[in-house]
Amino acid sequence: MTETRQYGFDTLQIHAGARPDPATGARQTPIYQTTAYVFRDAEHAAALFNLQEVGFIYSRLTNPTVAVLQERIATLEGGVGAACCSSGHAAQIMALFPLMQPGCNIVASTRLYGGTVTQFSQTIKRFGWSAKFVDFDDLDAVKAAIDDDTRAVFGEAIANPGGYIMDVRAVADVADAAGIPLIIDNTTATPYLVRPIEHGATLVVHSTTKYLTGNGTVTGGCVVDSGKFDWSASGKFPSLSEAEPAYHGLKFHETFGNLAFTFHSIAVGLRDLGMTMNPQAAHYTLMGIETLSLRMQRHVENAAKVAAWLEAHPAVDHVTYAGLPSSPYYERSKTVCPLGAGGLFTFALKGGYEACVRFVDSVEIFSHVANLGDTRSLVIHSASTTHRQLSPEQQAAAGASPDVVRVSIGIEDADDLIADLDQALAKAVPAAAAE
Ligand SMILES: *Cc1c(COP(=O)(O)O)cnc(C)c1O
């Protein structure tokens, strides 16, 4: 595409990163199902291995199908580059890896996907890293938690599962003042609803498993770099600013400028951690992204209808959808995500844990699965599944108390979704149905 015009989101979600295949003219991006690429000659091979020339060596590092997806997501997020990897959880490790050393910590929001809370509170300790969890609505607490060993601040724009909207700009300002990058998990919002880089984020991570692919077919992840952070300013990020022994003393920031993080993610992160996205997965995700805006519009429209209906239902204690005027985050949602508060929310049932279990066993169109961001509507009882490893306090902070179910509203007919919820609620809370 020529760069003379600023293309709109709907155009970019179809075209960014893709061009007709140079060998065959194929219009759709081919699945380059290959492990390795023939070098022109020995000199070419040496230049590639020295990072003096950019090209394809081996699919653990780079693959042409995956490269199109990387450029597509980076463009939609307004970043300079991106590295795709095997899952959303892999993306989180890939994002932290260039920033962290043993003894370093991150300051993370209490309102995060349960799997991320577990990854950050337990597993990263094995690397000598740690996380301090704070309420991101308390900016003084975020500020106070940042110490000399803090290397990142981490939050979700629209948090899974609680219907919490983060004031990305306010937290970005705190991170900025401390000279620390802000990493935003943008999985549940997608760049259609929120572009965290425009609100001051340094890095954006995704589980492409969810809305970006959009139909529950493949797992994947992505780390997008804004290109805006000065990795050399403080001496806190030596992997990016200092000589890299695994590349003959190459300094990534000095050599690659605003692409330093992306080059490091691929040349060191993927090379040595090996959390690679395969070209089949990239293909499915590219197919999904082509319709991202259309799907998100319907997800949001259906979620708003279903949430409003649930809020008025006698079996329902409360609904956490930020798109409802009753939500404490309703006003904030208008600045952070003016096109809608996403397709994910929770609601509490009168009747607690037992009613929730009966409810998830009674739905028919909704599927009871540990996933979100699918074209089909999904439901899960977080306290007995995704948030099971968390303490009751952590569950409550994450918006996953035992009386709460999470729904991921699909793009079916809203009336059919409401009818399904209605019959399941009647079984789950019979007393309320009789009211
Ligand atoms: C699912 C999810 C993840 C983890 O992604 P995987 O692809 O399952 O590894 C991280 N963050 C959020 C918000 C998620 O919903």
Side-chain angles (χ1 to χ4, degrees), residues 79-139:
V80 294
C84 282
C85 50
S86 51
S87 70
H89 265 11
Q92 293 171 185
I93 297 298
M94 289 279 296
L96 295 178
F97 174 67
L99 315 178
M100 304 290 277
Q101 293 173 78
C104 290
N105 67 69
I106 60 172
V107 172
S109 170
T110 46
R111 299 178 186 88
L112 294 176
Y113 166 63
T116 305
V117 176
T118 306
Q119 188 188 52
F120 287 173
S121 60
Q122 309 293 336
T123 303
I124 64 171
K125 282 192 209 156
R126 313 271 184 98
F127 307 147
W129 309 347
S130 60
K132 304 184 202 180
F133 292 93
V134 287
D135 177 355
F136 273 22
D137 275 351
D138 183 349
L139 295 174

CSV table of all heavy atoms in Angstrom, one decimal, residues 79-139:
chain,number,residue,atom,x,y,z
A,79,GLY,N,1.9,0.6,16.9
A,79,GLY,CA,3.3,0.3,17.3
A,79,GLY,C,4.3,0.3,16.2
A,79,GLY,O,3.9,0.3,15.0
A,80,VAL,N,5.6,0.2,16.5
A,80,VAL,CA,6.6,0.1,15.4
A,80,VAL,C,6.9,-1.3,15.0
A,80,VAL,O,7.5,-1.5,13.9
A,80,VAL,CB,7.9,0.9,15.8
A,80,VAL,CG1,7.6,2.4,15.9
A,80,VAL,CG2,8.5,0.3,17.1
A,81,GLY,N,6.7,-2.3,15.9
A,81,GLY,CA,7.0,-3.6,15.6
A,81,GLY,C,6.3,-4.6,16.6
A,81,GLY,O,5.8,-4.1,17.6
A,82,ALA,N,6.3,-5.9,16.3
A,82,ALA,CA,5.7,-6.8,17.2
A,82,ALA,C,6.4,-8.2,17.0
A,82,ALA,O,6.9,-8.5,15.9
A,82,ALA,CB,4.2,-7.0,16.8
A,83,ALA,N,6.3,-9.0,18.0
A,83,ALA,CA,6.8,-10.4,18.0
A,83,ALA,C,5.6,-11.3,18.4
A,83,ALA,O,5.0,-11.1,19.5
A,83,ALA,CB,8.0,-10.6,18.9
A,84,CYS,N,5.3,-12.2,17.5
A,84,CYS,CA,4.2,-13.1,17.9
A,84,CYS,C,4.9,-14.3,18.6
A,84,CYS,O,6.0,-14.7,18.3
A,84,CYS,CB,3.5,-13.6,16.6
A,84,CYS,SG,2.3,-12.4,16.1
A,85,CYS,N,4.1,-15.0,19.4
A,85,CYS,CA,4.6,-16.2,20.1
A,85,CYS,C,3.4,-17.1,20.3
A,85,CYS,O,2.3,-16.9,19.8
A,85,CYS,CB,5.3,-15.8,21.4
A,85,CYS,SG,4.3,-14.7,22.4
A,86,SER,N,3.7,-18.2,21.1
A,86,SER,CA,2.8,-19.4,21.1
A,86,SER,C,1.5,-19.2,21.9
A,86,SER,O,0.6,-20.0,21.7
A,86,SER,CB,3.5,-20.6,21.6
A,86,SER,OG,4.2,-20.3,22.8
A,87,SER,N,1.4,-18.2,22.8
A,87,SER,CA,0.2,-18.0,23.6
A,87,SER,C,0.3,-16.7,24.3
A,87,SER,O,1.3,-16.0,24.3
A,87,SER,CB,0.1,-19.1,24.7
A,87,SER,OG,1.1,-18.9,25.7
A,88,GLY,N,-0.8,-16.3,24.9
A,88,GLY,CA,-0.8,-15.0,25.6
A,88,GLY,C,0.1,-15.1,26.8
A,88,GLY,O,0.8,-14.1,27.1
A,89,HIS,N,0.2,-16.2,27.4
A,89,HIS,CA,1.1,-16.3,28.6
A,89,HIS,C,2.5,-16.3,28.1
A,89,HIS,O,3.4,-15.7,28.9
A,89,HIS,CB,0.8,-17.6,29.3
A,89,HIS,CG,-0.1,-17.4,30.5
A,89,HIS,ND1,-0.8,-16.2,30.6
A,89,HIS,CD2,-0.5,-18.2,31.5
A,89,HIS,CE1,-1.6,-16.3,31.7
A,89,HIS,NE2,-1.4,-17.5,32.3
A,90,ALA,N,2.8,-16.8,27.0
A,90,ALA,CA,4.2,-16.7,26.4
A,90,ALA,C,4.5,-15.2,26.1
A,90,ALA,O,5.6,-14.8,26.4
A,90,ALA,CB,4.3,-17.6,25.2
A,91,ALA,N,3.5,-14.5,25.6
A,91,ALA,CA,3.7,-13.1,25.3
A,91,ALA,C,4.1,-12.3,26.6
A,91,ALA,O,4.9,-11.4,26.5
A,91,ALA,CB,2.5,-12.5,24.7
A,92,GLN,N,3.5,-12.7,27.7
A,92,GLN,CA,3.8,-11.9,28.9
A,92,GLN,C,5.2,-12.2,29.3
A,92,GLN,O,5.9,-11.2,29.8
A,92,GLN,CB,2.8,-12.3,30.0
A,92,GLN,CG,1.4,-11.9,29.7
A,92,GLN,CD,0.3,-12.4,30.6
A,92,GLN,OE1,-0.9,-12.1,30.3
A,92,GLN,NE2,0.6,-13.1,31.6
A,93,ILE,N,5.7,-13.4,29.2
A,93,ILE,CA,7.1,-13.7,29.6
A,93,ILE,C,8.0,-13.0,28.5
A,93,ILE,O,9.1,-12.4,28.9
A,93,ILE,CB,7.3,-15.2,29.6
A,93,ILE,CG1,6.5,-15.9,30.7
A,93,ILE,CG2,8.8,-15.6,29.8
A,93,ILE,CD1,6.8,-15.4,32.1
A,94,MET,N,7.6,-13.1,27.3
A,94,MET,CA,8.4,-12.4,26.2
A,94,MET,C,8.5,-10.9,26.4
A,94,MET,O,9.5,-10.3,26.1
A,94,MET,CB,7.8,-12.7,24.8
A,94,MET,CG,7.9,-14.1,24.3
A,94,MET,SD,9.4,-14.4,23.6
A,94,MET,CE,9.4,-13.3,22.2
A,95,ALA,N,7.5,-10.3,27.0
A,95,ALA,CA,7.5,-8.9,27.2
A,95,ALA,C,8.4,-8.5,28.4
A,95,ALA,O,9.1,-7.5,28.3
A,95,ALA,CB,6.1,-8.4,27.5
A,96,LEU,N,8.4,-9.4,29.4
A,96,LEU,CA,9.2,-9.1,30.6
A,96,LEU,C,10.7,-9.5,30.4
A,96,LEU,O,11.6,-8.8,31.0
A,96,LEU,CB,8.6,-9.8,31.8
A,96,LEU,CG,7.2,-9.4,32.3
A,96,LEU,CD1,6.8,-10.3,33.4
A,96,LEU,CD2,7.2,-7.9,32.6
A,97,PHE,N,10.9,-10.5,29.6
A,97,PHE,CA,12.3,-11.1,29.5
A,97,PHE,C,13.4,-10.0,29.2
A,97,PHE,O,14.4,-10.0,29.9
A,97,PHE,CB,12.2,-12.2,28.5
A,97,PHE,CG,13.5,-12.8,28.1
A,97,PHE,CD1,14.3,-13.5,29.1
A,97,PHE,CD2,14.1,-12.6,26.9
A,97,PHE,CE1,15.5,-14.1,28.7
A,97,PHE,CE2,15.3,-13.2,26.5
A,97,PHE,CZ,16.0,-13.9,27.5
A,98,PRO,N,13.2,-9.1,28.2
A,98,PRO,CA,14.3,-8.2,28.0
A,98,PRO,C,14.5,-7.1,29.1
A,98,PRO,O,15.5,-6.4,29.1
A,98,PRO,CB,13.8,-7.5,26.7
A,98,PRO,CG,12.8,-8.3,26.1
A,98,PRO,CD,12.1,-9.0,27.3
A,99,LEU,N,13.4,-7.0,29.9
A,99,LEU,CA,13.4,-5.9,30.9
A,99,LEU,C,14.0,-6.4,32.3
A,99,LEU,O,14.5,-5.6,33.1
A,99,LEU,CB,12.0,-5.4,31.2
A,99,LEU,CG,11.2,-5.1,30.0
A,99,LEU,CD1,9.8,-4.7,30.4
A,99,LEU,CD2,11.8,-4.1,29.1
A,100,MET,N,13.9,-7.7,32.6
A,100,MET,CA,14.1,-8.2,33.9
A,100,MET,C,15.4,-8.9,34.1
A,100,MET,O,16.0,-9.4,33.2
A,100,MET,CB,13.0,-9.2,34.3
A,100,MET,CG,11.6,-8.7,34.1
A,100,MET,SD,11.1,-7.4,35.3
A,100,MET,CE,10.6,-8.6,36.7
A,101,GLN,N,15.8,-8.9,35.4
A,101,GLN,CA,17.0,-9.7,35.8
A,101,GLN,C,16.6,-10.3,37.2
A,101,GLN,O,15.6,-9.8,37.8
A,101,GLN,CB,18.2,-8.8,36.0
A,101,GLN,CG,18.7,-8.2,34.7
A,101,GLN,CD,19.8,-7.2,35.0
A,101,GLN,OE1,21.0,-7.6,35.2
A,101,GLN,NE2,19.5,-6.0,35.0
A,102,PRO,N,17.3,-11.3,37.7
A,102,PRO,CA,17.0,-11.7,39.0
A,102,PRO,C,17.0,-10.6,40.0
A,102,PRO,O,17.9,-9.7,39.9
A,102,PRO,CB,18.1,-12.7,39.3
A,102,PRO,CG,18.5,-13.2,37.9
A,102,PRO,CD,18.4,-12.0,37.0
A,103,GLY,N,16.0,-10.5,40.9
A,103,GLY,CA,16.0,-9.5,41.9
A,103,GLY,C,15.1,-8.3,41.4
A,103,GLY,O,14.7,-7.4,42.3
A,104,CYS,N,14.6,-8.3,40.2
A,104,CYS,CA,13.8,-7.2,39.7
A,104,CYS,C,12.3,-7.6,40.0
A,104,CYS,O,11.9,-8.7,40.1
A,104,CYS,CB,14.0,-7.0,38.2
A,104,CYS,SG,15.6,-6.3,37.8
A,105,ASN,N,11.5,-6.5,40.0
A,105,ASN,CA,10.1,-6.8,40.2
A,105,ASN,C,9.2,-6.0,39.2
A,105,ASN,O,9.7,-5.1,38.5
A,105,ASN,CB,9.7,-6.4,41.6
A,105,ASN,CG,9.8,-4.9,41.9
A,105,ASN,OD1,9.0,-4.1,41.4
A,105,ASN,ND2,10.8,-4.5,42.7
A,106,ILE,N,7.9,-6.3,39.1
A,106,ILE,CA,7.0,-5.6,38.4
A,106,ILE,C,5.9,-5.1,39.3
A,106,ILE,O,5.6,-5.8,40.4
A,106,ILE,CB,6.3,-6.4,37.2
A,106,ILE,CG1,5.6,-7.6,37.7
A,106,ILE,CG2,7.4,-6.7,36.2
A,106,ILE,CD1,4.8,-8.3,36.6
A,107,VAL,N,5.2,-4.0,39.0
A,107,VAL,CA,4.1,-3.6,39.8
A,107,VAL,C,2.8,-3.9,38.9
A,107,VAL,O,2.7,-3.4,37.8
A,107,VAL,CB,4.2,-2.1,40.1
A,107,VAL,CG1,2.9,-1.6,40.7
A,107,VAL,CG2,5.3,-1.9,41.1
A,108,ALA,N,2.0,-4.7,39.4
A,108,ALA,CA,0.8,-5.2,38.6
A,108,ALA,C,-0.5,-4.9,39.2
A,108,ALA,O,-0.6,-4.8,40.4
A,108,ALA,CB,1.0,-6.7,38.4
A,109,SER,N,-1.5,-4.7,38.4
A,109,SER,CA,-2.9,-4.5,38.9
A,109,SER,C,-3.4,-5.7,39.6
A,109,SER,O,-3.1,-6.8,39.2
A,109,SER,CB,-3.7,-4.1,37.7
A,109,SER,OG,-5.1,-4.1,38.0
A,110,THR,N,-4.2,-5.5,40.6
A,110,THR,CA,-4.9,-6.6,41.3
A,110,THR,C,-6.0,-7.2,40.3
A,110,THR,O,-6.4,-8.3,40.5
A,110,THR,CB,-5.6,-6.1,42.5
A,110,THR,OG1,-6.3,-4.9,42.3
A,110,THR,CG2,-4.6,-5.9,43.7
A,111,ARG,N,-6.4,-6.4,39.3
A,111,ARG,CA,-7.5,-6.8,38.5
A,111,ARG,C,-6.9,-7.4,37.2
A,111,ARG,O,-6.7,-6.6,36.2
A,111,ARG,CB,-8.5,-5.7,38.2
A,111,ARG,CG,-9.1,-5.1,39.5
A,111,ARG,CD,-10.0,-4.0,39.1
A,111,ARG,NE,-10.6,-3.3,40.2
A,111,ARG,CZ,-10.0,-2.3,40.8
A,111,ARG,NH1,-8.8,-1.9,40.5
A,111,ARG,NH2,-10.6,-1.7,41.8
A,112,LEU,N,-6.6,-8.6,37.2
A,112,LEU,CA,-6.0,-9.3,36.1
A,112,LEU,C,-6.6,-10.7,35.9
A,112,LEU,O,-7.2,-11.2,36.8
A,112,LEU,CB,-4.5,-9.5,36.3
A,112,LEU,CG,-3.5,-8.3,36.4
A,112,LEU,CD1,-2.1,-8.8,36.7
A,112,LEU,CD2,-3.6,-7.5,35.1
A,113,TYR,N,-6.5,-11.2,34.7
A,113,TYR,CA,-6.9,-12.5,34.3
A,113,TYR,C,-6.2,-13.5,35.4
A,113,TYR,O,-5.1,-13.3,35.7
A,113,TYR,CB,-6.4,-12.8,32.9
A,113,TYR,CG,-6.3,-14.3,32.5
A,113,TYR,CD1,-7.5,-15.0,32.4
A,113,TYR,CD2,-5.1,-14.9,32.2
A,113,TYR,CE1,-7.5,-16.3,32.0
A,113,TYR,CE2,-5.1,-16.2,31.7
A,113,TYR,CZ,-6.3,-16.9,31.7
A,113,TYR,OH,-6.2,-18.2,31.2
A,114,GLY,N,-7.0,-14.5,35.9
A,114,GLY,CA,-6.5,-15.3,37.0
A,114,GLY,C,-5.2,-16.0,36.6
A,114,GLY,O,-4.3,-16.2,37.5
A,115,GLY,N,-5.1,-16.5,35.4
A,115,GLY,CA,-3.9,-17.2,35.0
A,115,GLY,C,-2.7,-16.3,35.1
A,115,GLY,O,-1.5,-16.7,35.4
A,116,THR,N,-2.9,-15.0,34.8
A,116,THR,CA,-1.8,-14.0,34.9
A,116,THR,C,-1.4,-13.8,36.4
A,116,THR,O,-0.2,-13.7,36.7
A,116,THR,CB,-2.2,-12.7,34.2
A,116,THR,OG1,-2.6,-13.0,32.9
A,116,THR,CG2,-1.0,-11.7,34.2
A,117,VAL,N,-2.4,-13.7,37.3
A,117,VAL,CA,-2.1,-13.6,38.7
A,117,VAL,C,-1.2,-14.7,39.1
A,117,VAL,O,-0.2,-14.6,39.9
A,117,VAL,CB,-3.4,-13.5,39.5
A,117,VAL,CG1,-3.1,-13.4,41.0
A,117,VAL,CG2,-4.2,-12.3,39.1
A,118,THR,N,-1.6,-15.9,38.7
A,118,THR,CA,-0.8,-17.1,39.1
A,118,THR,C,0.6,-17.0,38.5
A,118,THR,O,1.6,-17.3,39.2
A,118,THR,CB,-1.5,-18.4,38.6
A,118,THR,OG1,-2.8,-18.4,39.1
A,118,THR,CG2,-0.8,-19.6,39.2
A,119,GLN,N,0.7,-16.7,37.2
A,119,GLN,CA,2.0,-16.6,36.6
A,119,GLN,C,2.9,-15.6,37.3
A,119,GLN,O,4.1,-15.8,37.6
A,119,GLN,CB,1.9,-16.2,35.1
A,119,GLN,CG,3.1,-16.2,34.3
A,119,GLN,CD,3.0,-15.6,32.9
A,119,GLN,OE1,2.5,-14.5,32.7
A,119,GLN,NE2,3.4,-16.4,31.9
A,120,PHE,N,2.3,-14.4,37.7
A,120,PHE,CA,3.1,-13.4,38.3
A,120,PHE,C,3.3,-13.6,39.8
A,120,PHE,O,4.4,-13.2,40.3
A,120,PHE,CB,2.4,-12.0,38.1
A,120,PHE,CG,2.4,-11.5,36.7
A,120,PHE,CD1,1.7,-10.3,36.4
A,120,PHE,CD2,3.2,-12.1,35.7
A,120,PHE,CE1,1.8,-9.8,35.1
A,120,PHE,CE2,3.3,-11.6,34.4
A,120,PHE,CZ,2.5,-10.4,34.1
A,121,SER,N,2.4,-14.2,40.5
A,121,SER,CA,2.6,-14.4,41.9
A,121,SER,C,3.4,-15.6,42.3
A,121,SER,O,4.0,-15.7,43.3
A,121,SER,CB,1.3,-14.3,42.7
A,121,SER,OG,0.4,-15.4,42.3
A,122,GLN,N,3.4,-16.6,41.4
A,122,GLN,CA,4.1,-17.9,41.7
A,122,GLN,C,5.2,-18.2,40.7
A,122,GLN,O,6.4,-18.2,41.1
A,122,GLN,CB,3.1,-19.1,41.6
A,122,GLN,CG,1.8,-18.9,42.4
A,122,GLN,CD,2.0,-18.9,43.9
A,122,GLN,OE1,3.0,-19.4,44.4
A,122,GLN,NE2,1.2,-18.2,44.6
A,123,THR,N,4.9,-18.4,39.5
A,123,THR,CA,5.9,-18.9,38.5
A,123,THR,C,7.1,-18.1,38.3
A,123,THR,O,8.2,-18.6,38.2
A,123,THR,CB,5.2,-19.3,37.2
A,123,THR,OG1,4.1,-20.2,37.6
A,123,THR,CG2,6.1,-20.0,36.2
A,124,ILE,N,6.9,-16.8,38.1
A,124,ILE,CA,8.1,-15.9,37.8
A,124,ILE,C,9.1,-15.9,38.9
A,124,ILE,O,10.2,-15.5,38.7
A,124,ILE,CB,7.7,-14.5,37.3
A,124,ILE,CG1,7.0,-13.7,38.5
A,124,ILE,CG2,6.8,-14.5,36.1
A,124,ILE,CD1,6.8,-12.2,38.1
A,125,LYS,N,8.7,-16.3,40.1
A,125,LYS,CA,9.6,-16.3,41.3
A,125,LYS,C,10.8,-17.2,40.9
A,125,LYS,O,11.9,-17.1,41.4
A,125,LYS,CB,8.9,-16.8,42.5
A,125,LYS,CG,8.1,-15.8,43.2
A,125,LYS,CD,7.7,-16.4,44.6
A,125,LYS,CE,6.4,-15.9,45.1
A,125,LYS,NZ,5.8,-16.9,46.0
A,126,ARG,N,10.5,-18.3,40.1
A,126,ARG,CA,11.6,-19.2,39.8
A,126,ARG,C,12.7,-18.6,38.9
A,126,ARG,O,13.8,-19.1,38.8
A,126,ARG,CB,11.0,-20.4,38.9
A,126,ARG,CG,9.8,-21.0,39.5
A,126,ARG,CD,10.1,-22.1,40.4
A,126,ARG,NE,8.9,-22.8,40.9
A,126,ARG,CZ,8.4,-23.9,40.4
A,126,ARG,NH1,9.1,-24.5,39.4
A,126,ARG,NH2,7.3,-24.4,40.8
A,127,PHE,N,12.4,-17.4,38.3
A,127,PHE,CA,13.4,-16.7,37.6
A,127,PHE,C,14.0,-15.6,38.4
A,127,PHE,O,14.9,-14.8,38.0
A,127,PHE,CB,12.8,-15.9,36.4
A,127,PHE,CG,11.9,-16.8,35.4
A,127,PHE,CD1,10.8,-16.2,34.8
A,127,PHE,CD2,12.3,-18.1,35.2
A,127,PHE,CE1,10.1,-17.0,33.9
A,127,PHE,CE2,11.5,-18.9,34.3
A,127,PHE,CZ,10.4,-18.3,33.7
A,128,GLY,N,13.6,-15.5,39.7
A,128,GLY,CA,14.2,-14.5,40.6
A,128,GLY,C,13.4,-13.2,40.4
A,128,GLY,O,13.9,-12.1,40.8
A,129,TRP,N,12.3,-13.2,39.7
A,129,TRP,CA,11.5,-12.0,39.5
A,129,TRP,C,10.3,-12.0,40.5
A,129,TRP,O,10.0,-13.1,41.0
A,129,TRP,CB,10.8,-12.0,38.1
A,129,TRP,CG,11.7,-12.2,36.9
A,129,TRP,CD1,13.1,-12.1,36.9
A,129,TRP,CD2,11.3,-12.4,35.6
A,129,TRP,NE1,13.6,-12.4,35.7
A,129,TRP,CE2,12.5,-12.6,34.8
A,129,TRP,CE3,10.1,-12.6,34.9
A,129,TRP,CZ2,12.5,-12.8,33.4
A,129,TRP,CZ3,10.1,-12.8,33.6
A,129,TRP,CH2,11.3,-12.9,32.8
A,130,SER,N,9.7,-10.9,40.8
A,130,SER,CA,8.6,-10.9,41.6
A,130,SER,C,7.6,-9.8,41.2
A,130,SER,O,7.9,-9.0,40.3
A,130,SER,CB,9.0,-10.6,43.1
A,130,SER,OG,9.6,-9.4,43.2
A,131,ALA,N,6.4,-9.9,41.7
A,131,ALA,CA,5.3,-8.9,41.3
A,131,ALA,C,4.7,-8.4,42.6
A,131,ALA,O,4.5,-9.1,43.6
A,131,ALA,CB,4.2,-9.6,40.5
A,132,LYS,N,4.4,-7.0,42.6
A,132,LYS,CA,3.7,-6.4,43.7
A,132,LYS,C,2.3,-6.0,43.1
A,132,LYS,O,2.3,-5.3,42.1
A,132,LYS,CB,4.4,-5.1,44.2
A,132,LYS,CG,5.8,-5.3,44.6
A,132,LYS,CD,6.3,-4.0,45.1
A,132,LYS,CE,7.8,-3.8,45.1
A,132,LYS,NZ,8.2,-2.6,45.6
A,133,PHE,N,1.3,-6.5,43.7
A,133,PHE,CA,-0.1,-6.2,43.2
A,133,PHE,C,-0.7,-5.0,43.9
A,133,PHE,O,-0.7,-5.0,45.2
A,133,PHE,CB,-1.0,-7.5,43.4
A,133,PHE,CG,-0.6,-8.6,42.5
A,133,PHE,CD1,0.3,-9.6,43.0
A,133,PHE,CD2,-1.0,-8.7,41.2
A,133,PHE,CE1,0.7,-10.7,42.2
A,133,PHE,CE2,-0.6,-9.8,40.4
A,133,PHE,CZ,0.3,-10.7,40.9
A,134,VAL,N,-1.1,-4.1,43.2
A,134,VAL,CA,-1.8,-2.9,43.8
A,134,VAL,C,-3.1,-2.5,43.0
A,134,VAL,O,-3.2,-2.9,41.8
A,134,VAL,CB,-0.9,-1.7,43.8
A,134,VAL,CG1,0.2,-1.8,44.8
A,134,VAL,CG2,-0.3,-1.4,42.5
A,135,ASP,N,-3.9,-1.8,43.7
A,135,ASP,CA,-5.2,-1.3,43.1
A,135,ASP,C,-4.8,-0.1,42.2
A,135,ASP,O,-4.3,0.9,42.6
A,135,ASP,CB,-6.1,-0.9,44.2
A,135,ASP,CG,-7.4,-0.2,43.7
A,135,ASP,OD1,-7.5,-0.1,42.5
A,135,ASP,OD2,-8.2,0.1,44.5
A,136,PHE,N,-5.0,-0.3,40.9
A,136,PHE,CA,-4.6,0.7,39.9
A,136,PHE,C,-5.5,2.0,39.9
A,136,PHE,O,-5.2,2.9,39.3
A,136,PHE,CB,-4.5,0.1,38.5
A,136,PHE,CG,-3.2,-0.5,38.2
A,136,PHE,CD1,-2.3,-0.9,39.2
A,136,PHE,CD2,-2.7,-0.6,36.9
A,136,PHE,CE1,-1.1,-1.5,38.9
A,136,PHE,CE2,-1.5,-1.2,36.6
A,136,PHE,CZ,-0.6,-1.6,37.6
A,137,ASP,N,-6.6,1.9,40.7
A,137,ASP,CA,-7.4,3.1,40.9
A,137,ASP,C,-6.7,4.0,42.0
A,137,ASP,O,-7.1,5.2,42.1
A,137,ASP,CB,-8.8,2.8,41.3
A,137,ASP,CG,-9.6,2.6,40.0
A,137,ASP,OD1,-9.1,2.8,38.9
A,137,ASP,OD2,-10.8,2.1,40.2
A,138,ASP,N,-5.8,3.5,42.7
A,138,ASP,CA,-5.1,4.2,43.8
A,138,ASP,C,-3.7,4.6,43.2
A,138,ASP,O,-2.7,3.8,43.4
A,138,ASP,CB,-5.0,3.4,45.0
A,138,ASP,CG,-4.3,4.1,46.2
A,138,ASP,OD1,-3.8,5.2,46.0
A,138,ASP,OD2,-4.4,3.6,47.3
A,139,LEU,N,-3.6,5.7,42.5
A,139,LEU,CA,-2.3,6.1,41.8
A,139,LEU,C,-1.2,6.3,42.8
A,139,LEU,O,0.0,6.0,42.5
A,139,LEU,CB,-2.5,7.3,41.0
A,139,LEU,CG,-3.5,7.1,39.8
A,139,LEU,CD1,-3.8,8.5,39.1
A,139,LEU,CD2,-3.0,6.1,38.8
